[in-house]
Every structure is written in C-alpha cells, then in structure tokens.
C-alpha cells in the first residue's frame, strides 16, 4: 500500500492523534475473564454489584461443548501448538485421532518396546514355503516390499523417521528403506500399495538406529515406510515418527456459558501477541439453548429425521446423517474481531440471548505463531427484550455529507428497564444529529459529541408502554468507505455503568427497503480527503502566538489500515522533519 504524504512548510508543529475509546461498565455487570489469573482484576470489578468471574483456560468441559484442538494450553495462556522434535508420535497416533494399518502383523514397531519386532518372513522371495501374491510377484528395487502405513490424524511437518532394526541380531539390520509422505484422503483400509516416488530413499544401511532426515516440504497426514529387502532376513524393532514446527491450525472453543437469563453483550477485550506472519482469529456466537447442533438420523427412505444428541450417539454408523447448526436458536460464528482492537470492541453476536460461546483460532505460518494471555467479555441484563434497526439510504456518495435516518423498532416488555440513550458508532464521520421522532411525534434530545465517529443522544425514556413505537434518528454523516456500518446501542442513563444493548440489523419499518445498517458507495480508490490545517496561517517564531498547527485528514475507502506520512519541508523541498508515519484506520 503506497505511503500517503502531506507536505507543508513550517518549523514548529503540534500533531494530535485520536484518543482510544474505552467503554466502562459497573453495577449489574457480569465480567468473565479467561486466563490472566495473575493479573489485577478489571478496575470496575471493585464497584458495587459487579460480578467478576475468573476462569482458567484449562476449565474445558466436553459436555458443555468446550474443546481444544492441536492447542498449546496452560494456566498462563493459549497459543499455537509447536511440535516437540524429540517426541515420538508413533505410539500415540490413536490418541491423536490417527490410526496404524495391520496392527495384527506390524503392531510391534510402534509399541515403544524395542524388545518386540516385526519380522520379514512373509515378504521374502526365497521362502519356499510361502505361496501367494507376494511370492509370485516378487521383484527387486522396492517392487513389492513390506510397508508400514500410518494415518496421523492431522497434518504434520515431518522432521525425521527413525528405523530401529537388528537389536538382537545385527545380521538382520534393514539395509534399504524408502519413505513416502502424502495425503490419506484417498486411502482404503487394508489396501495400501507402495507409493512412488518416495521422499527419501536409503540404500545399504548398516546402522541399527537409522535416522532419516526429511527435507523441508508441505505438511502431510499419511506416512508410509517401505522395506526394500526381498532376499535377506530382517527384523524391525521400532519405527518412530518425529515432527517439528507449528501445527497448521490450533483452536480453542470455550464452554457454552449459561447466564440463566437473556443478556446484553458488552465489550470484548484480550491481551496477546502475534508474530508478523501468524494469524489469530477471535469469534463469538450466542444462542437460546445449551446445544448449537441439530442431529439427524437416516430414515432408510432417502430422508432424515431429527434426534437428540444422546439418541444420535447410540445410532449405528450407517444410521447417522450428521449434525447441522440449530439456526432457529443459534447464530453463526461472527466474523473475526480485529486483533488490534484488543483494548475493547463491542460483541457483535445477537442479543439478548441466554447462552454465549467464543472461539480463538491460531493459524501459524513458517516460524510465526500467536498467543492469547487472557480474554474478557462483559454482559448485563438487557434494557429491552428485542431491538431491530436499519439505516436509510443504503447508498451514498463517498466523502460527501449526506442525510441519513436510523430507524429502530423496540420490543419492551414488563420488567425491562427501558432506555433513554442511543449511541451511534461508525467508521464514517457523524457531523450532527438533526431530528428525532418517537412514533409520530418529534421529540427534543441532547446530543453529546464523543468523537467524530461516535455520538450519544439522550431523549425521553421509552418504557413497556412504548413497545413498538418506531424511533427515528436523522443525522448528517460522511461515508468514507464501501460497506461502512452504523452500529447503534441503547442504554439507560440511570444505570450508567451497565453495558449498552446492541441493536440487531433487520426490518424495523416497511417504509425503508434496505433492512440493513451498512451503506454502499461508488468510489473505488483510496485517497486522502479534505486535509484540514488549523490555523490556516501560523508563525512558528516562538512568540507564543500561532506557533503550532493542528493537522487533520480523512482516509477514504480502506477496510483495514493505510500507511500515512506527515513531513515538514523547507522552501526548497528538502525534508526538515518527519512528524508522523504509521498505519491509520478509519
């Protein structure tokens, strides 16, 4: 991405960066923290009525759908799993979800016991007592060798294979070995021919402990070791498999958390590290019951019928038709949260909901991985039973002031606290709130300017008797990129420390057709828009008047960040000072 450079002439300057917004919480608030047991509790945890719940990363319960997959996990942090190059995978393949072929014949070579051995009798061409396909088709050069086949149960970057042979009788040391690595997708149990070409081909071996280094290559989930001798007796005591490097993917899925009543979700925050090439994805979802899956049984007539999880577990394999997401009661996993938003970002999963779950996915690359030390999220009782909102119009000119209307349809039941504040958060620039209507009546309001991308509006309280009254907020804004969203949350000013409740996008009114809260634009290019310099004329001579300047700029059409550079040049164009260079986001 090219560097955008703003050039101006000066000798002194003041450059002001936007402050980071942090949303507080308080009375009636529940804070869950996973990990970080040794860290100080959140500041608001000491406030009256706040329920702080510390959990360990290792508190996983499979009955509550908690799961750790290829993950390095302890009480301190979760991180991408890096293989121990000294650990022999072969004896624990079944525990890792893989399998060995022909255990009845070859089980001695991966049992971890060097006193047991796999013998050559059935593979020798000169065995006069053996009549069968191996004897009839026997040829030299690995044409019909004994083979050891292993499905690893996952993808591994194999580092080396060790073949231990001839421990009792050195005359039976294996002389020729070939190693093949690949994919196990197309394999059939019990029918695995020798594969070519091999990764490594060893001839004339004399070592009882033969270490076979594997050249750098793609990860594999299938290993085949071929034994080449057909006319010499051999015995193999162990075949060991070693891997190194990060796994392809590591995943932490939390237990499903039951709040015992529907809740509004607040901010999500975390602390962790990520190397440049490594990726860390954090996602959330919410539901109405304690199981996000629907299980299916084949009817035998080409159809399927729903069954409970327990009934599904009791079915025979041929009767199982798989599981799907319970879309009536559970939302899909959210889009990943930006890892840079670790100091606090609103949970986007549907609310109010009773059940909550999060997932952390690590995808290392080369030698770069990632780690999350702790993750927190906040929740409190909702101020309304349901909130549906949409924005109009849904298309705008990029960078130009436009008039928008946000329509909100609230469902407020008896027992709900109600609300009298509305907050708009957006990547666009909100200039001002112009009008507000509740039902058919225009109402007065107080607008609080938090920052260019955030407005808080206070208005007459909506309670249960106002349920179904359409709330419309007209405001002026500049859309800076395609797909910019207007996220709205509502709250009760009498409960200022509880989390604001998010509004779900949908059909708030038949008057507007969009049913969404995002806006499209026609611009296709990224550029700077309306660089502001204040004061326009300044005199940096040290007299205390107009010695400094504030520079502001808007960036168009970016979904992540753009490199921005601000420089000071003299009249000849020579750079005097670089004021700022960094990655800016809308």
């Amino acid at each position: 991405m090219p560097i955008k450079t703003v050039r101006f002439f000066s000798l002194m300057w003041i450059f002001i960066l936007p402050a980071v917004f942090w949303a507080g919480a308080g009375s009636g608030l529940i804070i869950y923290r996973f990990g970080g047991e040794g860290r100080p509790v959140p500041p608001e945890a000491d406030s009256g009525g706040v329920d702080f719940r510390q959990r360990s990363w290792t508190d996983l319960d499979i009955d509550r759908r908690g799961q750790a997959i290829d993950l390095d996990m302890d009480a301190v942090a979760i991180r991408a799993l890096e293989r121990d190059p000294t650990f022999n995978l072969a004896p624990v393949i079944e525990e890792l979800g893989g399998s060995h072929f022909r255990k009845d014949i070859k089980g001695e070579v991966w049992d971890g016991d060097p006193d047991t051995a796999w013998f050559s009798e059935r593979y020798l061409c000169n065995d006069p007592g053996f009549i069968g396909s191996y004897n009839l088709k026997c040829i030299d050069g690995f044409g019909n060798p004994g083979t050891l086949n292993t499905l690893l149960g996952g993808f591994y970057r194999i580092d080396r294979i060790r073949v231990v042979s001839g421990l009792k009788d050195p005359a039976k040391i294996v002389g020729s070995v070939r190693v093949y690595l690949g994919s196990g997708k197309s394999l059939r149990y019990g029918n695995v021919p020798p594969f070519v070409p091999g990764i490594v081909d060893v001839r004339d071996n004399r070592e009882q402990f033969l270490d076979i280094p594997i050249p750098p290559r793609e990860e594999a989930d299938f290993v085949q070791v071929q034994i080449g001798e057909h006319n010499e007796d051999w015995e193999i005591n162990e075949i060991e498999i070693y891997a190194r490097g990060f796994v392809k993917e590591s995943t932490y899925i939390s237990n499903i958390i039951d709040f015992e009543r529907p809740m509004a979700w607040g901010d999500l925050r975390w602390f962790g590290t990520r190397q440049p090439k490594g990726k860390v994805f954090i996602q959330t979802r919410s539901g109405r019951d304690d199981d996000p899956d629907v299980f299916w049984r084949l009817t035998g007539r080409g159809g399927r019928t729903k069954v409970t999880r327990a009934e599904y577990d009791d079915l025979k394999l041929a009767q199982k038709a798989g599981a799907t997401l319970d879309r009536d009661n559970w939302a899909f996993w959210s889009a990943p949260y930006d890892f840079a938003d670790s100091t606090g970002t609103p949970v986007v999963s549907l609310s109010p909901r009773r059940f909550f779950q999060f997932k952390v996915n690590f995808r290392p690359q080369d030698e770069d991985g990632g780690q999350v030390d702790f993750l927190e999220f906040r929740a409190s009782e909702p101020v309304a039973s349901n909130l549906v909102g949409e924005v109009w119009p849904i298309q705008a000119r990029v960078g130009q002031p436009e008039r928008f209307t946000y329509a909100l349809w609230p469902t407020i039941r008896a027992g709900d606290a109600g609300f009298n504040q509305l907050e708009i958060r957006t990547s666009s620039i909100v200039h001002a709130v112009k009008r507000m209507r509740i039902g058919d009546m225009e109402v007065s309001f107080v607008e609080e300017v938090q920052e260019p991308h955030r407005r808080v509006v206070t208005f007459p309280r909506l309670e249960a008797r106002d349920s179904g009254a359409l709330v419309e907020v007209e405001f002026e804004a500049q859309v800076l990129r395609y797909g910019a969203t207007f996220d709205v949350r509502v709250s009760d000013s009498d409960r200022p420390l509880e989390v604001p409740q998010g509004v779900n996008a949908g059909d708030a009114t038949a008057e507007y057709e969009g049913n969404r809260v995002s806006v499209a634009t026609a611009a296709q290019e990224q550029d700077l828009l309306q660089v502001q310099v204040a004061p326009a004329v300044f005199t940096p001579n040290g007299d205390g008047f107009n010695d400094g300047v504030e520079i502001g700029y808007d960036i168009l059409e970016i979904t992540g960040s753009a490199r921005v550079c601000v420089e000071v040049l003299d009249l000849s164009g020579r750079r005097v000072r670089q004021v700022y260079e960094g990655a800016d986001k809308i």
Side-chain angles (χ1 to χ4, degrees):
M1 184 175 291
I3 292 178
K4 302 295 183 181
T5 304
V6 181
R7 303 187 176 191
F8 62 98
F9 307 106
S10 176
L11 295 176
M12 297 183 65
W13 58 88
I14 299 172
F15 188 73
I16 302 175
L17 295 178
V20 177
F21 169 70
W22 178 82
S27 179
L29 178 70
I30 298 176
I31 305 175
Y32 267 95
R33 176 189 284 178
F34 289 78
E37 286 96 329
R39 295 177 178 271
V41 300
E44 61 271 40
D46 294 328
S47 301
V50 175
D51 184 1
F52 176 64
R53 303 178 182 182
Q54 177 70 60
R55 297 291 184 268
S56 172
W57 288 117
T58 57
D59 293 338
L60 285 177
D61 184 351
I62 193 171
D63 290 333
R64 290 188 287 161
R65 316 297 168 250
Q67 202 172 6
I69 305 170
D70 285 342
L71 186 76
D72 184 1
M73 175 177 61
D74 53 35
V76 176
I78 56 174
R79 59 188 70 85
L81 177 63
E82 190 169 9
R83 305 293 187 190
D84 180 355
T86 67
F87 179 74
N88 176 22
L89 297 169
V92 295
I93 285 297
E94 275 76 15
E95 297 175 27
L96 298 173
S99 62
H100 294 287
F101 287 66
R102 305 299 298 274
K103 296 180 183 180
D104 55 331
I105 298 173
K106 308 166 188 176
E108 295 84 358
V109 298
W110 59 72
D111 61 1
D113 183 1
D115 292 330
T116 60
W118 174 34
F119 295 100
S120 61
E121 284 86 353
R122 66 184 286 117
Y123 307 101
L124 296 182
C125 297
N126 60 359
D127 181 1
F130 185 85
I131 299 176
S133 60
Y134 282 95
N135 186 267
L136 295 176
K137 297 179 181 179
C138 184
I139 58 177
D140 291 333
F142 292 99
N144 201 5
T147 58
L148 180 91
N149 300 291
T150 302
L151 284 170
L152 300 176
F155 284 90
Y156 293 77
R157 190 181 306 167
I158 303 302
D159 180 55
R160 62 190 172 99
I161 304 291
R162 171 180 278 191
V163 179
V164 181
S165 64
L167 291 184
K168 293 184 178 179
D169 184 355
K172 295 184 178 181
I173 292 175
V174 167
S176 300
V177 179
R178 176 181 290 159
V179 176
Y180 171 87
L181 302 179
S183 172
K185 287 184 177 180
S186 60
L187 297 179
R188 292 185 179 181
Y189 186 85
N191 184 22
V192 185
F195 288 101
V196 292
I199 304 304
V200 181
D201 197 343
V202 178
R203 304 281 182 163
D204 197 27
N205 171 57
R206 309 289 185 183
E207 302 292 333
Q208 289 176 310
F209 295 88
L210 171 62
D211 277 309
I212 306 174
I214 304 298
R217 58 178 292 104
E218 293 295 321
E219 296 176 327
D221 66 345
F222 172 70
V223 174
Q224 183 179 77
V225 179
Q226 305 170 8
I227 309 303
E229 283 89 347
H230 301 297
N231 296 300
E232 298 178 9
D233 198 8
W234 49 261
E235 65 176 24
I236 300 177
N237 304 88
E238 291 293 312
I239 293 181
E240 302 171 354
I241 303 171
Y242 298 89
R244 73 163 56 245
F246 285 106
V247 299
K248 193 170 186 177
E249 187 173 48
S250 296
T251 304
Y252 181 94
I253 303 176
S254 76
N255 297 335
I256 291 176
I257 301 166
D258 183 1
F259 285 88
E260 299 181 351
R261 60 194 183 281
M263 302 292 285
W265 313 130
D267 280 0
L268 184 73
R269 60 186 296 263
W270 57 88
F271 180 83
T273 57
R274 179 182 61 183
Q275 283 74 49
K277 295 182 183 178
K279 296 180 179 179
V280 182
F281 301 104
I282 298 174
Q283 297 170 273
T284 60
R285 65 178 178 179
S286 57
R288 295 190 179 95
D289 60 24
D290 61 358
D291 195 336
D293 298 316
V294 175
F295 294 88
W296 301 91
R297 178 186 185 277
L298 292 172
T299 62
R301 298 183 296 275
R304 62 180 187 175
T305 185
K306 288 183 182 181
V307 294
T308 66
R309 181 182 288 269
E311 291 170 338
Y312 188 83
D313 291 339
D314 292 336
L315 293 177
K316 297 179 180 178
L317 182 61
Q319 296 175 308
K320 293 183 176 181
T324 58
L325 178 70
D326 182 3
R327 298 177 62 177
D328 292 334
N329 294 297
W330 275 84
F332 289 102
W333 287 108
S334 69
Y337 296 90
D338 188 342
F339 195 72
D341 288 339
S342 58
T343 55
T345 185
V347 172
V348 299
S349 297
L350 292 175
S351 69
R353 293 285 178 93
R354 172 176 170 175
F355 297 89
F356 185 82
Q357 190 176 34
F358 68 88
K359 175 169 66 172
V360 183
N361 197 275
F362 300 92
R363 294 184 186 172
Q365 184 175 344
D366 297 334
E367 301 303 317
D368 290 357
Q371 173 175 309
V372 174
D373 294 50
F374 73 84
L375 182 146
E376 291 178 2
F377 64 90
R378 290 153 169 74
S380 59
E381 292 190 28
V383 295
S385 295
N386 193 32
L387 300 166
V388 178
E390 60 182 310
V391 70
W392 184 263
I394 57 174
Q395 187 166 2
R397 298 169 298 168
V398 65
Q400 301 299 314
E402 299 273 5
R403 184 71 68 94
F404 295 92
T405 298
Y406 193 98
L408 168 66
W409 181 271
T411 301
I412 309 173
R413 298 193 175 102
D416 292 342
F419 58 92
N420 65 341
Q421 285 187 330
L422 181 147
E423 175 187 348
I424 302 174
R425 288 187 179 186
T426 178
S427 59
S428 304
I429 298 175
V430 180
H431 292 297
V433 176
K434 300 295 186 179
R435 299 173 62 195
M436 185 170 184
R437 292 186 298 274
I438 298 177
D440 297 326
M441 182 178 300
E442 188 166 335
V443 298
S444 60
F445 60 89
V446 176
E447 179 184 12
E448 180 182 351
V449 180
Q450 300 287 345
E451 56 188 45
H453 309 297
R454 180 170 170 256
R455 290 289 192 277
V456 175
V457 181
T458 303
F459 48 87
R461 175 179 299 277
L462 276 74
E463 299 177 339
R465 65 175 179 270
D466 305 304
S467 183
L470 185 66
V471 179
E472 296 176 276
V473 181
E474 293 185 13
F475 60 96
E476 187 177 272
Q478 282 176 276
V479 175
L480 301 181
R481 67 173 175 85
Y482 185 92
T485 60
F486 292 96
D487 295 320
V488 169
R489 302 196 295 177
V490 304
S491 57
D492 178 2
S493 62
D494 292 337
R495 304 160 68 187
L497 298 179
E498 296 190 9
V499 300
Q501 182 176 340
V503 179
N504 302 314
D507 187 7
T509 173
E511 184 177 350
Y512 306 133
E513 298 178 357
N515 298 347
R516 67 190 200 194
V517 295
S518 60
V519 177
T521 68
Q524 299 298 321
E525 297 181 357
Q526 174 186 305
D527 203 350
L528 290 177
L529 169 71
Q530 296 181 356
V531 177
Q532 300 95 28
V533 179
V537 177
F538 55 100
T539 57
N541 56 11
D543 63 359
F545 296 96
N546 294 330
D547 284 336
V549 63
E550 179 179 335
I551 304 166
Y553 52 85
D554 304 321
I555 307 175
L556 289 181
E557 291 299 312
I558 65 171
T559 58
S561 61
R563 300 295 300 176
V564 175
C565 179
V566 179
E567 296 178 339
V568 179
L569 307 179
D570 63 18
L571 293 176
S572 69
R574 181 177 62 88
R575 187 173 75 175
V576 177
R577 185 69 60 85
Q578 179 174 290
V579 179
Y580 170 74
E581 182 179 6
D584 284 10
K585 298 192 301 181
I586 290 180

